[in-house]
Amino acid sequence: MNLHHREKTLSECDREAIHHIAAVQSFGGLIAADAAGNIVHLSANVAQLLGFGALPETGTPLEQVIAPTALASLRQALAAASGPDLIERRFGLDFTGENSLFDCAVHHSGGLAIIEFEPHARNDFADHVSMIVPVIAKLEAATTLTALCDTAARLVRQMTGYDRVMIYRFHPDESGEVIAEDRHEDLEPYKGLRYPAADIPQQARELFRRNRFRIIADMADTAVPILPALGPEDAPLDLSMSMLRAHSEMHLVYMRNMGVGASLAIAIVRHDRLWGMISCHHRTPRLPPYSLRTVAELLSQTFSLMLDRILVAQAEALRERARQLNDRLLLRMAGGVGLAASLPMIEELLRGTIQHDGISLFAGGEYRASGDAPEEEEFRAIAPLLASTLGGATHSSTRIADQIAEASAFAGRAAGALVLPLSRGTRDSLVLWRRPLERTVTWAGDPAKAVAAPGELLQPRASFAAWAETVRGHSADWTPEECEIAARLRRTLIEVILRMSEDLTRERARAAEQQDLLIAELNHRVRNILGLIRALVAQSQADAMSVPGFAAIIGGRIAALATAHDNITAKNWGPASLARLIEAELAPYGGTDRPHLRLIGEDVLVAPEAYTILALVVHELATNSAKYGSLSARAGTVEVSLARTAFGDLALAWRETGGPPVTAPTRHGFGSTIITRSIPHDLHGEADVRYRLAGLEADFLVPARYLAATEAGAGRAPPPPPTATEEIRRNAALQPGRVLVVEDSIIIALDTEENLRRLGVGEVHLESSVEGALAAIAADPPDFAIIDFNLGGESSEPIAAALRKAGVRFVLATGYAEGAGSFERLGAEAVLRKPYGMTEIEKLLVGA
C-alpha cells in the first residue's frame, strides 16, 4: 500500500553531490589520467599502496608509475570500456614489476581515464572463480519470486560472510520492503519491515541505476582525499562509476545508527528501473576480495535475469487470463444486450479474477450496482468527477475519498475503488469497490523521522526498531496484475459500447453501397470455386480405383482448398511464408504419383500488406491454370522459382509446362486484372505475363521493403491432408452408438448422417434448431454430438451447455477460420472445420 507520498523535498539529502565527493576509501587507490596518458588526479595513498617513496606529481606519465605489461593490459581494458557507464576489470596485474599484484577496475569519466586498484587475493582467486557455475545453477533452479529471493539471500551470505543479507523491493511510492533475509542467528529479523522513500535519496537511486555495486569496508574509516580536488578547469572529478568512492557522512551516520560496521549493496535493475536491492550488513569492518565481490555482482545479474523470466511468465499468465475474460465477455455480449443490463454477467466473469466487495456500472444514464457499492444518489454525486479528477485511464485507489471528497459519504462501506472510465466527456464508468480495512504496517523506525522541518538540517534516524503504524480507512491494495486485467476489460467494454452505439442509419447506407460489390465479387468467387471443384473431379478420375477411393481423393483435395483459403484470409499481423502460400494454393492439384509443383529457391517472409496481394495473384494463377493451363492436364506441372535480386527485391517466376496449347485471351477478366496489375499498382513492383504456346510464363518483382528475413524453421507448408484408404477403419469399442447432429443445412446434415452410418454408428438423430436439440438431449442424451456453431442466426451455446451438463462429448462445426479457442472454451473436444467429410469425422470418433 502506498501510504506516504513524497510531498516534501529533502533538499539537504536529495541535492547532495555524492558523486563529487573527492575522496576514496582507504583499501584501494585511484589514478585519473588524461588522453595523453598523464596523471591529472590521484588518491593520497597511491605511494603507500605501490611502495613508492613519494607521491607522484600531477602531469607524471603513467609509464613512470605502472609497469609496461600492466599498463598495456589497462589500456586494452580502457579501450573496451569506451561506451557510457562501462567498467572493465583486470585481476592480478603486477603494477610495479616487483610481483605486487593488484585487482583493477577502469572506466572513463569526463574525458579522463579512471584507474582504481586494490591488492589481489592471489590465494583465493581460483576458489572465487570456481563459485560462478554452481551459484548460477542454484539461482536458475528457482521457479517463484519467493524462492528466487530466498536463494539469492542465502547464497550471497554464504559467499561473502556478512552477518545479514536482505533482498529489498521498492514499492511504487519508492518506499521499500525487506522481502527475503538470511542473517546471523543472534540478530533481530528485518524481514517484512518497510523503509520510507527518504532513506535512499533520489541522486543515490540514480547512481545505483548506473553503477549497481557499492561497498563500504569500514564505517569508521577515514576517507583518503583525491589530489587535487578540482581539475584544470576547477571541475570536480565525477566518481559516479567508481568502486572506491567515499560516502556521504550523513549516510555513514545512518548506517552506524543501525549498528552496521560494513556494508555491501547491489542494485537490482529491471527494464532500466530500480526494482530493488541486495543489501549486506556486517557488525564489524569487512572487505571481501574484489574477485569475490565480482562473483557476487555476477550473481546479482543472474538474479535480474531470473527475476525477469519469472515476472514475464507471470505477465504471460495474466495476459492469458485477461484474454480469456475478454473473449468470454465479447462472446456473451455479441447478442446486442444493453451494457447496463449486462452487469450480472460482468460480475460473474470477474468473480475469481479481481477480488471486490461491490460493483457499480453507470452507462447511458442508467445506474446498476451490487454488493457494497454506493447508492444511486451517492454515485451520481461523484460520477461527474471520476473522469475530470482521475483522468481518462484506469485508476486505482485504496481510499477514493482522498481524491474525491464526495466519496466520504459512503467511505465506511466502500473505501477502495478501481475505476474504469468507459468514454471521454461522459459519466459512463465501471467501478469495483473494496471495503475499508484496519491493518498494521510495520516500519523500520518511525517514517516521520525522515522528514525535516523547513530550514532545518535533516538528521539520520537513530532508531530502526520495528514501528507499527495502524492504517484505517484504506482498502486492500489493488495489485498491478489486477489493474492490468481491469485495463484490458475497459478496452473490451469500450469496444462493445462503440459497436452498440454506432449510427445504424449510416451503417445501413454503407452496407447497401457495398452489397452490390460484394454480390458481384461473391458471384465471381463462387464460379471460380465451382470451376475448381469441377476440374478436381475431372482430374481425379484417373487416380481412383473405386467409388469410395474416388470420394476420398475428392474429399482430401477439397479440404486442401479450404486450408489454402484459410491461409489467404487469416489475419497475419507479422510477415508470413511465401512458400507456404504457394504450396497451400497448389496442393489441391497434386497427387502422390504426379506432383504438379516444383518450388525452387529459398523461402521469403512477406509483410502482411503485400502478403494479401500475392495471395490473390497466386490464387488467380492457380485457378486459371486449373481451368486452361498445365494444372488442367494430368502430366502438367508448374515451376515456381524465388530469388533475390542484387537490390534485395524478390523475383518470382511462374512457368507452366505439359498442359494444352496456350493462347492469349481475347478479353481480360477480373482474375487477369489481378495478375497483371495488382503488384505494380499496390506494391509499385513489376508484372510481366506471356502466353507461350507451350505454357504460361509470368515474372513478378516485389520490392525489398515488403520482405523480411526468413526465420529458422519457417518455410514449407505441411503436406496436404492425407486421402482415406478404400477400406474404412472401424473400432467398435471406441465408436459411439448414438450421435446427435445439429445442422441447419439439410444437405450437410444428410451427408454427415451418411458418413456416420458408413463409419458404423448405429443411430443418428438430426436436428436443425436450438429448441429441437435441447428437447432431444432432454429426452434421450446421445453418446456423441456434432453441432453447427451458427444455426441460422441462433448460437448453439445453449446446446453446448446442455451437453456439458449431461456429460456428453461433442464437437463444434464451423466455417470460420478464427475463434477456435473461444469455441473450445464452450467445452467442445475439438473444432470441425467446414467443409468436412468422412475422414475428418472418423478421426474425431476413433482418435478422440
Side-chain angles (χ1 to χ4, degrees):
M1 178 162 45
N2 303 332
L3 300 174
H4 295 275
H5 298 283
R6 304 193 72 214
E7 298 176 352
K8 300 180 180 180
T9 300
L10 309 179
S11 58
E12 297 84 19
C13 199
D14 282 329
R15 296 177 182 176
E16 184 180 7
I18 57 177
H19 57 306
H20 290 161
I21 209 159
V24 297
Q25 299 179 69
S26 64
F27 65 83
L30 179 145
I31 297 174
D34 59 20
N38 299 320
I39 296 175
V40 178
H41 298 274
L42 75 169
S43 60
N45 60 350
V46 166
Q48 175 188 352
L49 289 169
L50 299 182
F52 296 158
L55 188 68
E57 297 182 357
T58 57
T60 301
L62 289 175
E63 289 86 348
Q64 297 181 16
V65 177
I66 303 174
T69 301
L71 184 58
S73 179
L74 290 174
R75 284 174 171 162
Q76 289 178 354
L78 284 165
S82 57
D85 294 351
L86 289 181
I87 301 174
E88 284 289 319
R89 299 172 175 84
R90 295 294 185 269
F91 298 95
L93 296 186
D94 187 356
F95 258 45
T96 61
E98 298 177 357
N99 201 26
S100 296
L101 304 184
F102 292 89
D103 295 334
C104 306
V106 300
H107 66 278
H108 294 275
S109 176
L112 299 178
I114 309 298
I115 302 170
E116 299 179 279
F117 56 94
E118 62 181 88
H120 174 65
R122 68 175 73 197
N123 295 330
D124 299 321
F125 180 74
D127 291 338
H128 298 162
V129 173
S130 67
M131 291 181 180
I132 295 175
V133 173
V135 161
I136 291 177
K138 290 179 181 178
L139 277 184
E140 288 180 336
T143 58
T144 66
L145 181 59
T146 299
L148 179 68
C149 293
D150 289 342
T151 302
R154 185 178 66 256
L155 288 175
V156 171
R157 183 162 179 254
Q158 289 173 353
M159 289 165 48
T160 60
Y162 282 89
D163 290 334
R164 185 196 307 271
V165 175
M166 299 170 287
I167 307 296
Y168 184 89
R169 181 176 184 176
F170 293 116
H171 290 280
D173 63 354
E174 295 187 347
S175 67
E177 180 179 357
V178 179
I179 60 174
E181 179 184 41
D182 194 85
R183 59 185 173 83
H184 194 278
E185 59 184 10
D186 60 357
L187 289 176
E188 62 176 310
Y190 282 177
K191 184 177 180 180
L193 292 184
R194 293 278 288 267
Y195 290 77
D199 280 17
I200 304 180
Q202 291 302 306
Q203 85 279 26
R205 292 172 187 265
E206 174 59 19
L207 280 183
F208 268 122
R209 189 187 64 80
R210 296 173 57 199
N211 186 0
R212 304 179 185 181
F213 195 94
R214 295 297 298 136
I215 187 169
I216 305 178
D218 185 353
M219 296 294 171
D221 186 32
T222 301
V224 177
I226 292 176
L227 305 174
L230 299 177
E233 299 180 1
D234 291 334
L237 184 60
D238 188 337
L239 296 179
S240 296
M241 303 306 295
S242 169
M243 71 168 181
L244 294 174
R245 184 182 76 239
H247 291 76
S248 159
E249 182 61 28
M250 184 175 295
H251 177 69
L252 295 175
V253 172
Y254 175 94
M255 298 301 287
R256 288 196 292 266
N257 287 347
M258 292 184 72
V260 176
S263 70
L264 183 152
I266 309 173
I268 303 169
V269 177
R270 184 171 186 259
H271 298 169
D272 206 35
R273 295 174 63 88
L274 201 58
W275 183 90
M277 305 276 290
I278 300 176
S279 183
C280 308
H281 292 173
H282 205 67
R283 287 168 287 188
T284 58
R286 184 168 188 80
L287 177 64
Y290 190 40
S291 52
L292 181 58
R293 304 197 311 264
T294 301
V295 174
E297 186 174 7
L298 178 61
L299 180 146
S300 75
Q301 294 170 353
T302 305
F303 178 94
S304 296
L305 293 175
M306 297 302 102
L307 171 70
D308 196 62
R309 182 191 67 181
I310 291 171
L311 295 182
V312 165
Q314 292 177 350
E316 287 298 324
L318 165 67
R319 279 192 285 270
E320 176 60 21
R321 286 171 58 196
R323 185 186 66 80
Q324 292 177 7
L325 175 65
N326 292 353
D327 287 350
R328 291 169 61 194
L329 185 60
L330 282 174
L331 187 64
R332 297 182 64 175
M333 296 188 71
V337 180
L339 187 60
S342 302
L343 180 62
M345 180 192 65
I346 295 173
E347 188 169 23
E348 177 189 346
L349 293 175
L350 284 173
R351 190 173 295 117
T353 304
I354 302 179
Q355 188 278 325
H356 59 281
D357 301 311
I359 186 169
S360 296
L361 177 59
F362 191 82
E366 293 186 62
Y367 178 71
R368 304 288 178 87
S370 69
D372 291 318
E375 299 294 337
E376 183 170 354
E377 296 76 13
E378 294 171 332
F379 189 89
R380 287 184 181 273
I382 68 168
L385 304 173
L386 289 176
S388 60
T389 304
L390 305 180
T394 303
H395 177 84
S396 65
S397 172
T398 60
R399 186 162 62 183
I400 191 68
D402 288 344
Q403 291 86 41
I404 300 176
E406 289 77 358
S408 300
F410 52 84
R413 62 181 185 278
L418 184 54
V419 184
L420 286 65
L422 300 182
S423 59
R424 292 186 177 181
T426 71
R427 305 175 181 184
D428 292 354
S429 60
L430 176 73
V431 184
L432 304 181
W433 302 99
R434 282 181 176 169
R435 289 189 293 265
L437 302 174
E438 180 174 313
R439 54 182 174 160
T440 300
V441 176
T442 304
W443 297 86
D446 184 351
K449 299 294 185 181
V451 179
E456 293 183 6
L457 181 65
L458 176 66
Q459 297 297 324
R461 286 187 288 135
S463 173
F464 294 86
W467 186 86
E469 178 181 12
T470 301
V471 181
R472 296 181 178 88
H474 287 263
S475 73
D477 288 317
W478 303 94
T479 67
E481 292 77 16
E482 290 171 333
C483 293
E484 174 64 20
I485 291 177
R488 289 172 177 266
L489 173 62
R490 173 176 176 264
R491 291 193 290 268
T492 300
L493 291 174
I494 290 175
E495 181 180 350
V496 171
I497 292 171
L498 290 175
R499 288 182 181 181
M500 297 170 64
S501 63
E502 286 181 348
D503 188 342
L504 295 179
T505 303
R506 183 182 61 190
E507 185 63 30
R508 287 169 185 160
R510 187 171 61 181
E513 292 175 1
Q514 293 179 342
Q515 187 171 7
D516 290 341
L517 292 174
L518 291 174
I519 290 174
E521 178 63 16
L522 179 62
N523 182 56
H524 170 75
R525 294 299 169 195
V526 169
R527 287 180 178 273
N528 273 348
I529 291 171
L530 293 175
L532 286 174
I533 294 175
R534 179 180 177 278
L536 287 177
V537 171
Q539 294 176 66
S540 301
Q541 295 179 32
D543 291 340
M545 302 300 294
S546 65
V547 172
F550 178 67
I553 292 173
I554 290 294
R557 288 179 173 170
I558 292 176
L561 274 178
T563 301
H565 184 264
D566 283 346
N567 196 35
I568 293 172
T569 59
K571 294 180 180 178
N572 296 300
W573 298 111
S577 163
L578 181 56
R580 287 180 177 269
L581 168 65
I582 295 169
E583 290 177 333
E585 283 292 344
L586 271 69
Y589 311 106
T592 56
D593 61 334
R594 50 183 185 91
H596 278 315
L597 171 65
R598 267 201 312 163
L599 188 56
I600 302 172
E602 292 295 326
D603 187 18
V604 294
L605 299 181
V606 180
E609 59 267 31
Y611 187 79
T612 55
I613 301 301
L614 288 174
L616 287 174
V617 170
V618 174
H619 179 70
E620 293 301 333
L621 284 168
T623 300
N624 289 345
S625 182
K627 288 181 179 179
Y628 318 112
S630 61
L631 295 181
S632 67
R634 177 177 174 80
T637 60
V638 173
E639 179 180 288
V640 181
S641 64
L642 308 175
R644 291 289 193 105
T645 68
F647 299 100
D649 301 329
L650 171 66
L652 188 154
W654 177 284
R655 300 288 185 268
E656 297 186 22
T657 58
V662 174
T663 58
T666 56
R667 60 178 295 275
H668 286 276
F670 180 68
S672 298
T673 301
I674 287 179
I675 294 172
T676 57
R677 299 180 61 180
S678 293
I679 292 178
H681 182 273
D682 290 4
L683 307 182
H684 302 290
E686 298 175 9
D688 181 22
V689 180
R690 301 175 297 280
Y691 295 93
R692 307 294 191 196
L693 187 63
L696 180 74
E697 296 181 359
D699 291 291
F700 305 95
L701 191 71
V702 179
R705 62 179 175 275
Y706 296 110
L707 310 177
T710 306
E711 299 176 354
R716 304 302 169 86
T723 58
T725 59
E726 294 185 14
E727 190 65 29
I728 301 298
R729 291 186 296 116
R730 290 176 173 84
N731 189 330
L734 295 177
Q735 300 238 359
R738 184 170 182 271
V739 176
L740 171 64
V741 177
V742 186
E743 171 62 60
D744 59 351
S745 169
I746 187 59
I747 295 176
I748 297 176
L750 291 175
D751 183 59
T752 303
E753 179 183 24
E754 177 62 24
N755 285 329
L756 285 168
R757 294 191 185 280
R758 291 176 61 195
L759 289 169
V761 175
E763 182 180 350
V764 180
H765 187 85
L766 302 182
E767 289 292 345
S768 62
S769 66
V770 173
E771 181 181 2
L774 293 177
I777 296 169
D780 188 6
D783 302 318
F784 188 76
I786 299 175
I787 307 172
D788 185 9
F789 180 73
N790 191 347
L791 296 170
E794 289 186 291
S795 170
S796 59
E797 186 174 352
I799 305 174
L803 290 171
R804 286 200 311 270
K805 185 176 181 181
V808 177
R809 298 168 45 224
F810 67 94
V811 298
L812 287 171
T814 179
Y816 293 101
E818 300 176 355
S822 300
F823 298 150
E824 289 169 359
R825 280 192 291 276
L826 295 178
E829 281 193 354
V831 174
L832 190 58
R833 296 290 188 194
K834 291 183 177 180
Y836 60 86
M838 185 163 54
T839 300
E840 291 77 16
I841 296 173
E842 181 192 17
K843 289 178 181 178
L844 293 174
L845 295 180
V846 178

